[in-house]
Amino acid sequence: MKLNIGGAERIVRILVGLVLIGLAATGTVGWWGWLGIVPLATGAIGWCPPYAIFGFSTCSTQTKA
């Protein structure tokens, strides 16, 4: 698997996932808060399946001389 999620987006995904899971665990939101597992997992591994399917990437491109 080639990484397709950039650094800033990874941080945002992890934070959003943790907040949603925390809200679900405390009963503030319903069961859908557990869907925070998805952004948490994709942020942690740096790879998003829909991005791969559509050929999209937010990783910075580095050119070698």
Side-chain angles (χ1 to χ4, degrees):
M1 282 184 302
K2 186 176 175 186
L3 296 180
N4 61 7
I5 300 176
E9 185 178 357
R10 287 180 78 173
I11 292 168
V12 171
R13 284 177 183 242
I14 290 170
L15 290 176
V16 167
L18 289 173
V19 167
L20 283 173
I21 292 169
L23 291 172
T26 60
T28 306
V29 297
W31 64 268
W32 62 268
W34 291 106
L35 294 175
I37 293 171
V38 175
L40 178 63
T42 58
I45 63 174
W47 184 75
C48 179
Y51 278 16
I53 291 169
F54 296 111
F56 189 71
S57 176
T58 59
C59 289
S60 61
T61 57
Q62 297 178 356
T63 57
K64 294 185 179 181

